[in-house]
């Protein structure tokens, strides 16, 4: 069962076998068969030149390698070229292009007094590649080549019987390879395993990825004490029936289980089949009747998908006469499962659900319309009847799940009708129980009873009372502060000051230098501090086509978050219309063309306030006497107690002009918000008692922005968010590095792996950052600890922080600025700069422009610090 031994990969695996036969079983050559190139003499000579006498200059790898080879015999150059070929032959083109790899090997060969050519078949092999070792593999090429040399050097010292044993027994070979000294060349070590034993070891260069795969699929591991490669073999064997013999662990179907945080095995209600472009059944046309008619003819105990198609072909008159060809068996079964007409059996067979045995066609059509499931884009199933507006009032097609198609299917089942103006409305008895005692009627009535319980459960959760902002008990408050500090390094007392102001009914302005996390804190704090402390029970319908729709609802534990926020950025042209609202023009599109009309446009404060009330659709203001608080739901499934407003860069707006009419409303006297309507009236909408506004203010730019009157200032509490103190230097450095690496991973640095839940990020073979918590003065402090065995990276990180701390003496830069420097540093190093050059470029590109405001003496001090940084 050769891993990835697909036809297109066969030449590469032939070359791997050539390496085993010509190099490990003999002293031969890859490029010139019949010659002895991989001999003890050649290995020791290159080892002396390359490892024993390293070139520690700052020149590029090629310049240094050429110097080290200078004056060597032609066979040494050829051996160096073949060694480099083995180093590069497995890696995929998205790490280093085919042409770049070929050119590097050819240049090494061309340095020789008697250069040789790479055979054409090996040139083609070089363009295949199956592994992605990450950028560290290229950055640390000298260490990778050193390990390859160490491997073949030690191999040649083995007896012939030992070599035969290691080539026959992959686990003995692994023990030998893992016993060799390794210096930052872990990726090369893992690839050597795959080159020699591709049937056993995965083409995965990352130790971190191997570890995460075994963690993601740990449920499939029977021997937890086995080594990681043995566990991968077991996992592969158990996944092959579902994903094929030659699957890759980097298959998008599998990566969510070890990189994306999803749990394996998939949840029961994940689709059996991938969602199609058309979510509705299509095999037998756009009507329910053909599917129902087919089911009435499936009277045998079980059928295969092919037998179902064959049975359909023997029904007269034809069930779907418009079909031009025999339907696809798998797709037909999928559609019948989604319509809840077919029950899957354990042996891969199917049967009609027993509760549909009475074969009453009108009832079956109604049953299928009510219970049908549709695959959704998020990988789950949607039960449309729960989301459909079945309230008896007309609704446009856009209000129905998936648009116009659903009400057309419902109309066939007698659930809805189209009104004269083209809208759709539910019939009065659409969700009423049916009279009768047939098995299908009983199934329909049981299902409708469960739907009603679920709807009542949802409605009870959505409705809230208008209460004051809750006080949080001290123990819970400390826990929530720790949660915030895992994300932002904000002093505990600062968070307590903000909390104190908010629960006292005050609105808050967070002021401070840029990069201190003001906006992030403003969005994070309302959600985290007021999250529910206990779970609420929510009833959910089973949405798995493998289960009967008559099964009772499941109890799901749900924890409501605190407050969602609307984030807006103030601008200098803001006025009352941007905050409260007013008349605004817009282009209306009609059948006759476009015309300019005027309507009332709600401002940011009005929108945020009205979203707390039921019935607000972005335009219609709910009537004052019927205002009902409701929870907020976002697109990710999170639920919130309400919605607040966050105004970023608060004083970029002319605050008194834009907010002047709200002095009384913001003063805490429970004065309502006066909202204009299209009819010319003004509706008084009370601010929810737990509604707050949080603004942010950049203190560096305060003198260039709009001022606030004393009356307006009195409506807010001003709290400074400053950079962390020197006592938090280690924690701040760790957090900045963590966030920089996490963001770079999101942009495709494949050798950076992130586990946000555990607070761990690894840049393989370079550094690792992990979150820890410890008690300090009675409070728990969150810290990010940086670990690295690489002396060069440790030195540059130390230098960066010393320089950054020195700049802070004159310029209060926030943690975000430190993160920006780290991001530039890591990116520079990953594209080939030396650590020193990358640090210089990172500081110049991210910080220099912000230092123009320093006076000449301050600049001289910083320049002197940089010039004499190495002096005691």
């Amino acid at each position: 069962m050769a891993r990835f031994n697909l036809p297109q990969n066969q030449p590469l695996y032939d070359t791997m076998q050539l390496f085993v036969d010509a190099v490990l079983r003999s002293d031969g050559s890859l490029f010139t068969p019949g010659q002895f190139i991989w001999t003890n003499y050649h290995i020791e000579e290159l080892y002396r030149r390359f490892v024993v006498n390293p070139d520690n200059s700052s020149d590029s790898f090629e310049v240094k390698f050429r110097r080290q080879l200078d004056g060597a015999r032609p066979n040494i150059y050829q051996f160096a070229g073949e060694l480099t070929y083995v180093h590069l032959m497995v890696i995929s083109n998205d790490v280093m292009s085919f042409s770049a790899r070929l050119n590097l090997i050819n240049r090494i060969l061309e340095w020789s007094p008697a250069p040789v050519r790479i055979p054409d078949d090996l040139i083609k092999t070089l363009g295949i590649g199956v592994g992605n070792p990450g950028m560290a593999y290229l950055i640390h090429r000298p260490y990778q080549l050193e390990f390859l040399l160490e491997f073949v050097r030690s191999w040649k010292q083995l007896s012939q019987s030992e070599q035969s044993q290691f080539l026959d027994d992959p686990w003995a070979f692994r023990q030998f390879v893992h016993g060799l000294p390794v210096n930052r060349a872990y990726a090369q070590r893992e690839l050597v395993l795959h080159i020699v034993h591709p049937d056993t070891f995965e083409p995965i260069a990352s130790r971190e990825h191997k570890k995460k795969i075994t963690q993601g699929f740990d449920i499939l591991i029977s021997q937890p004490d086995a080594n990681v490669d043995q566990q991968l073999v077991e996992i592969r064997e158990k996944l092959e029936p579902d994903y094929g013999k030659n699957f890759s662990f980097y298959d998008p179907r599998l990566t969510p289980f070890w990189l994306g945080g999803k749990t394996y095995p998939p949840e029961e209600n994940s689709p059996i089949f991938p969602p199609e472009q058309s979510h509705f059944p299509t095999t037998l046309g756009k009507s329910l009747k053909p599917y129902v008619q087919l089911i009435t003819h499936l009277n045998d105990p079980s059928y295969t998908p092919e037998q179902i198609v064959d049975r359909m072909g023997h029904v007269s008159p034809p069930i779907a006469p418009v079909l031009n060809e025999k339907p696809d068996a798998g797709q037909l079964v999928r559609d019948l499962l989604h319509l809840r007409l077919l029950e899957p059996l354990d042996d891969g067979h199917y049967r009609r659900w027993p509760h549909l045995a009475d074969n009453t066609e009108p009832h079956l059509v109604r049953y299928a319309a009510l219970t049908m499931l549709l695959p959704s884009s998020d990988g789950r199933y949607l039960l449309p009847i729960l989301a459909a507006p079945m309230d008896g009032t007309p609704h446009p097609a856009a209000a129905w799940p998936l648009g116009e198609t659903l009400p057309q299917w419902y109309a066939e089942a007698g659930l809805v009708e189209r009104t004269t103006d083209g809208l759709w409305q539910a019939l009065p008895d659409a969700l009423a129980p049916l009279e009768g005692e047939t098995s299908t009627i009983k199934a329909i009535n049981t299902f409708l009873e469960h739907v009603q319980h679920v709807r009542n459960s949802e409605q009870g959760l959505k409705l809230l009372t208008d209460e004051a902002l809750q006080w949080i008990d001290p123990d819970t408050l400390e826990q929530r502060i720790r949660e915030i500090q895992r994300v932002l390094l904000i002093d505990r007392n600062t968070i307590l000051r903000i909390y104190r102001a908010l629960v006292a009914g005050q609105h808050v302005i967070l002021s401070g230098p840029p990069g201190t996390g003001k906006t992030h804190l403003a969005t994070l704090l309302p959600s985290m501090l007021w999250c529910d402390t206990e779970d609420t029970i929510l009833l959910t319908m089973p949405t798995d086509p493998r289960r009967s729709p008559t099964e009772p609802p499941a109890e799901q534990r749900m924890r409501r978050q605190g407050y969602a926020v609307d984030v807006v950025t103030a601008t200098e042209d803001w006025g009352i219309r941007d905050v409260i609202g007013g008349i605004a023009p817009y282009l209306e599109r009609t059948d006759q063309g476009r015309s300019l009309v005027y309507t009332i446009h709600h401002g940011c404060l009005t929108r945020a306030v009205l979203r707390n009330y039921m019935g607000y659709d972005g335009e219609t203001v709910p009537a004052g006497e019927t205002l009902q608080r409701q929870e907020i739901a976002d697109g990710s499934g999170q639920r919130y107690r309400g919605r607040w407003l966050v105004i970023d860069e608060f004083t970029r707006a002319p605050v008194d002009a834009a907010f002047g009419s709200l002095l009384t409303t913001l003063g805490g006297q429970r004065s309502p918000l006066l909202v204009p309507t299209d009819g010319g009236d003004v509706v008084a909408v009370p601010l929810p008692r737990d509604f707050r506004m949080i603004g942010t203010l950049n203190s560096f730019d305060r003198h260039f922005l709009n001022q606030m009157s004393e009356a307006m200032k009195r409506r807010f509490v001003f709290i400074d968010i400053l950079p962390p103190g020197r006592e938090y230097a280690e924690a701040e450095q760790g957090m900045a590095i963590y966030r920089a690496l996490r963001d770079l991973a999101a942009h495709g640095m494949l050798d950076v792996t992130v586990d946000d839940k555990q607070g761990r990020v690894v840049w393989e073979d370079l550094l690792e950052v992990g979150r820890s918590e410890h008690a300090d003065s009675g409070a728990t402090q969150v810290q990010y600890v940086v670990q690295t065995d690489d002396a060069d990276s440790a030195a540059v990180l130390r230098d960066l922080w010393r320089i950054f701390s020195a700049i802070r003496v004159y310029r209060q830069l926030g943690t975000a600025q430190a993160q920006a420097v780290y991001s530039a540093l890591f990116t520079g190093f990953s594209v080939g700069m030396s650590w020193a050059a990358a640090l210089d470029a990172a500081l110049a590109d991210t910080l220099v422009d912000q230092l123009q405001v320093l006076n000449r003496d301050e600049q001289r001090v910083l320049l002197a610090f940089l010039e004499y940084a190495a002096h005691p």
Side-chain angles (χ1 to χ4, degrees):
M1 58 169 191
R3 302 287 182 255
F4 297 91
N5 199 2
L6 302 170
Q8 63 268 30
N9 296 337
Q10 187 61 50
L12 174 59
Y13 285 93
D14 290 343
T15 302
M16 292 181 190
Q17 188 60 47
L18 173 65
F19 173 76
V20 172
D21 294 338
V23 173
L24 300 188
R25 295 188 189 276
S26 176
D27 294 338
S29 168
L30 297 178
F31 296 168
T32 54
Q35 278 192 270
F36 294 103
I37 296 298
W38 293 71
T39 65
N40 270 320
Y41 173 78
H42 295 153
I43 292 170
E44 291 297 332
E45 176 64 13
L46 185 59
Y47 190 85
R48 180 186 67 79
R49 288 171 172 270
F50 185 66
V51 179
V52 177
N53 298 297
D55 187 332
N56 295 318
S57 70
S58 60
D59 292 329
S60 69
F61 164 77
E62 285 189 45
V63 171
K64 294 191 291 185
F65 200 31
R66 184 168 189 173
R67 271 201 299 261
Q68 290 171 309
L69 291 171
D70 187 45
R73 296 179 180 180
N75 282 352
I76 301 299
Y77 281 100
Q78 181 174 339
F79 174 52
E82 293 192 14
L83 186 79
T84 306
Y85 181 94
V86 175
H87 163 64
L88 296 175
M89 72 176 178
V90 180
I91 67 175
S92 54
N93 292 325
D94 54 352
V95 179
M96 185 179 183
S97 70
F98 161 73
S99 60
R101 286 180 282 156
L102 180 62
N103 291 339
L104 174 60
I105 299 167
N106 278 330
R107 281 195 295 272
I108 294 172
L109 297 175
E110 288 166 0
W111 298 336
S112 170
V116 299
R117 287 185 67 256
I118 307 173
D120 290 342
D121 57 339
L122 294 194
I123 291 177
K124 293 177 181 177
T125 295
L126 199 61
I128 298 174
V130 293
N132 186 333
M135 292 301 300
Y137 190 76
L138 306 183
I139 295 168
H140 287 161
R141 177 173 293 128
Y143 302 107
Q144 318 297 335
L145 292 175
E146 179 183 331
F147 178 82
L148 267 180
L149 266 175
E150 192 69 58
F151 163 64
V152 294
R153 186 169 181 253
S154 300
W155 181 266
K156 298 299 180 180
Q157 308 305 317
L158 298 173
S159 67
Q160 192 170 8
S161 62
E162 287 175 317
Q163 291 179 353
S164 297
Q165 177 195 0
F166 293 158
L167 293 178
D168 293 337
D169 183 350
W171 304 115
F173 179 76
R174 182 185 189 275
Q175 187 173 4
F176 164 71
V177 172
H178 275 254
L180 300 174
V182 58
N183 180 15
R184 312 185 204 179
Y186 298 100
Q188 187 67 74
R189 185 177 69 182
E190 301 305 312
L191 289 180
V192 164
L193 296 178
H194 180 70
I195 290 171
V196 179
H197 286 287
D199 291 348
T200 301
F201 300 104
E202 296 287 333
I204 299 175
S206 168
R207 294 174 299 152
E208 183 69 17
H209 282 192
K210 286 186 174 183
K211 176 182 175 183
K212 290 182 78 68
I213 291 169
T214 58
Q215 291 172 342
F217 296 97
D218 59 350
I219 194 172
L220 302 178
I221 297 172
S222 61
Q223 300 181 33
D225 295 332
N227 66 56
V228 67
D229 290 300
Q230 290 171 327
Q231 292 176 345
L232 286 171
V233 168
E234 182 178 12
I235 292 170
R236 172 172 285 279
E237 289 175 348
K238 292 180 178 178
L239 290 178
E240 278 180 348
D242 291 328
Y243 296 95
K245 183 177 179 180
N246 295 306
F247 76 83
S248 165
F249 281 106
Y250 294 92
D251 187 313
R253 297 173 296 171
L254 292 173
T255 50
F257 301 118
W258 62 272
L259 275 180
K262 287 192 175 182
T263 302
Y264 186 88
E267 297 179 14
E268 281 191 348
N269 67 341
S270 61
I272 302 172
F273 306 97
E276 302 293 325
Q277 278 193 332
S278 173
H279 290 269
F280 287 92
T282 57
T283 320
L284 303 183
K286 300 180 180 179
S287 170
L288 285 169
K289 189 175 180 180
Y291 302 95
V292 167
Q293 287 179 333
L294 173 58
I295 282 295
T296 63
H297 290 85
L298 300 183
N299 298 313
D300 291 345
S302 69
Y303 295 85
T304 66
E306 291 74 18
Q307 289 171 338
I308 293 175
V309 173
D310 183 66
R311 182 71 186 92
M312 189 184 86
H314 290 84
V315 175
S316 181
I319 290 173
V322 297
L323 295 178
N324 296 321
E325 57 185 27
K326 183 183 293 186
D328 178 82
Q331 186 177 350
L332 177 59
V333 165
R334 181 204 68 184
D335 288 346
L336 292 172
L337 285 169
H338 291 174
L339 292 171
R340 319 299 282 276
L341 297 170
L342 210 59
E343 178 186 13
L345 304 176
D346 293 337
D347 57 359
H349 287 59
Y350 300 85
R351 69 175 179 180
R352 179 182 60 205
W353 280 106
H355 54 252
L356 304 179
D358 60 273
N359 282 343
T360 308
E361 188 175 300
H363 295 161
L364 289 174
V365 171
R366 193 179 189 91
Y367 163 92
L370 287 168
T371 65
M372 83 162 88
L373 297 172
L374 302 177
S376 62
S377 58
D378 65 354
R380 297 175 181 270
Y381 282 103
L382 170 70
L383 182 60
I385 198 64
L386 287 177
M390 306 294 288
D391 53 10
T393 58
H395 294 277
W400 298 81
L402 301 173
E404 184 82 21
T405 308
L406 183 67
Q408 290 176 351
W409 286 60
Y410 281 177
E412 182 184 356
L415 300 176
V416 304
E417 65 180 0
R418 188 189 287 271
T419 63
T420 55
D421 53 359
L423 304 180
W424 292 95
Q425 68 179 17
L427 293 171
D429 61 347
L431 302 182
L434 300 179
E435 294 183 2
E437 293 296 324
T438 69
S439 59
T440 305
I441 287 178
K442 288 181 179 179
I444 291 173
N445 290 345
T446 299
F447 175 80
L448 289 174
E449 182 181 355
H450 295 333
V451 166
Q452 191 59 48
H453 288 324
V454 170
R455 283 176 173 265
N456 292 340
S457 166
E458 281 273 356
Q459 190 70 6
L461 282 173
K462 287 181 179 179
L463 300 181
L464 300 171
T465 56
D466 190 28
E467 299 177 346
L469 192 60
Q470 295 179 356
W471 285 84
I472 307 171
D473 74 79
D475 290 340
T476 302
L477 183 60
E478 288 297 331
Q479 176 189 342
R480 303 289 164 76
I481 290 174
R482 286 199 301 273
E483 292 173 2
I484 292 172
Q485 289 178 327
R486 291 187 187 121
V487 183
L488 290 170
L489 197 61
I490 304 293
D491 179 69
R492 172 178 174 273
N493 285 332
T494 300
I495 299 175
L496 286 175
R497 289 168 60 197
I498 300 170
Y499 164 71
R500 175 207 65 195
L502 293 172
V503 294
Q506 297 167 310
H507 306 288
V508 172
I509 298 290
L510 304 180
S511 174
T516 54
K518 300 182 295 298
T519 305
H520 197 171
L521 180 62
T523 59
L524 198 66
L525 185 145
S527 171
M528 281 193 170
L529 282 190
W530 283 277
C531 176
D532 284 353
T533 56
E534 296 181 354
D535 291 339
T536 301
I537 302 299
L538 176 68
L539 296 180
T540 59
M541 291 291 289
T543 54
D544 185 342
R546 290 162 287 201
R547 297 168 59 186
S548 170
T550 61
E551 289 188 19
E555 291 188 352
Q556 175 185 341
R557 294 188 173 274
M558 186 275 298
R559 185 164 296 196
R560 188 186 284 122
Q561 303 300 306
Y563 296 88
V565 295
D566 283 347
V567 182
V568 295
T569 302
T571 63
E572 61 183 19
D573 59 352
W574 262 22
I576 192 68
R577 189 173 67 183
D578 299 281
V579 177
I580 303 298
I583 297 175
Y586 84 100
L587 284 175
E588 183 179 57
R589 299 177 184 271
T590 64
D591 294 339
Q592 288 74 37
R594 294 181 296 178
S595 59
L596 185 66
V597 298
Y598 291 85
T599 186
I600 292 295
H601 172 79
H602 292 154
C604 59
L605 177 60
T606 298
R607 289 195 302 272
V609 169
L610 288 176
R611 284 176 179 172
N612 289 279
Y613 293 112
M614 184 172 291
Y616 180 61
D617 58 5
E619 296 179 1
T620 306
V621 180
E625 296 180 359
T626 60
L627 286 177
Q628 169 65 57
R629 286 291 304 277
Q630 67 172 353
E631 70 170 17
I632 306 296
D634 66 9
S636 66
Q638 293 281 14
R639 297 164 178 263
Y640 298 87
R641 293 177 176 274
R643 188 177 294 274
W644 290 4
L645 178 63
V646 171
I647 301 179
D648 206 16
E649 303 291 351
F650 193 73
T651 50
R652 289 194 182 278
V655 177
D656 284 271
F659 289 84
S661 63
L662 297 173
L663 284 174
T664 304
T665 303
L666 298 178
Q669 290 89 359
R670 297 289 295 162
S671 296
L673 186 67
L674 302 179
V675 180
T677 67
D678 279 334
D681 300 326
V682 174
V683 177
V685 178
L687 262 63
R689 296 177 64 194
D690 56 354
F691 176 81
R692 300 291 184 271
M693 280 183 10
I694 302 179
T696 70
L697 191 154
N698 184 346
S699 59
F700 276 17
D701 297 334
R702 180 174 291 182
H703 300 296
F704 303 101
L705 303 176
N706 295 284
Q707 302 301 308
M708 297 172 62
S709 66
E710 295 303 317
M712 184 60 69
K713 287 180 182 178
R714 198 164 55 82
R715 268 62 182 175
F716 294 89
V717 172
F718 289 78
I719 297 176
D720 283 337
I721 307 296
L722 300 175
R726 288 180 177 271
E727 66 273 20
Y728 297 110
E730 183 179 355
E732 184 183 11
Q733 183 182 18
M735 177 175 280
I737 294 173
Y738 177 91
R739 281 157 49 175
L741 288 175
R742 181 194 61 192
D743 291 352
L744 289 174
H747 286 86
M749 287 187 65
L750 299 179
D751 48 344
V752 176
T753 56
V754 181
D755 186 340
D756 254 335
K757 187 175 182 180
Q758 297 296 324
R760 181 170 174 265
V761 60
V762 178
W763 191 1
E764 198 147 15
D765 299 340
L766 279 174
L767 57 90
E768 175 180 338
V769 187
R771 185 173 63 222
S772 64
E773 298 182 11
H774 64 280
D776 184 14
S777 303
T780 301
Q781 299 293 330
V782 179
Q783 189 158 348
Y784 286 83
V785 179
V786 182
Q787 296 177 317
T788 178
D789 296 328
D790 183 77
D792 295 337
S793 58
V796 78
L797 294 179
R798 183 175 60 250
D799 291 345
L800 188 157
W801 195 254
R802 288 178 62 232
I803 295 169
F804 188 79
S805 300
I807 294 172
R808 261 189 176 166
V809 173
Y810 302 114
R811 188 75 166 161
Q812 285 189 313
L813 301 175
T815 308
Q817 267 86 353
Q819 178 185 340
V821 181
Y822 283 119
S823 294
L825 170 71
F826 298 148
T827 306
F829 182 66
S830 71
V831 300
M833 293 182 179
S834 67
W835 275 123
L839 175 59
D840 184 59
L843 292 168
D845 297 345
T846 59
L847 292 187
V848 166
D849 192 62
Q850 300 185 46
L851 304 183
Q852 295 184 33
V853 296
L854 301 184
N855 64 45
R856 188 175 298 274
D857 287 343
E858 292 169 340
Q859 292 177 6
R860 284 174 174 168
V861 171
L862 288 178
L863 289 173
F865 174 82
L866 293 173
E867 185 175 355
Y868 299 103
H871 196 280

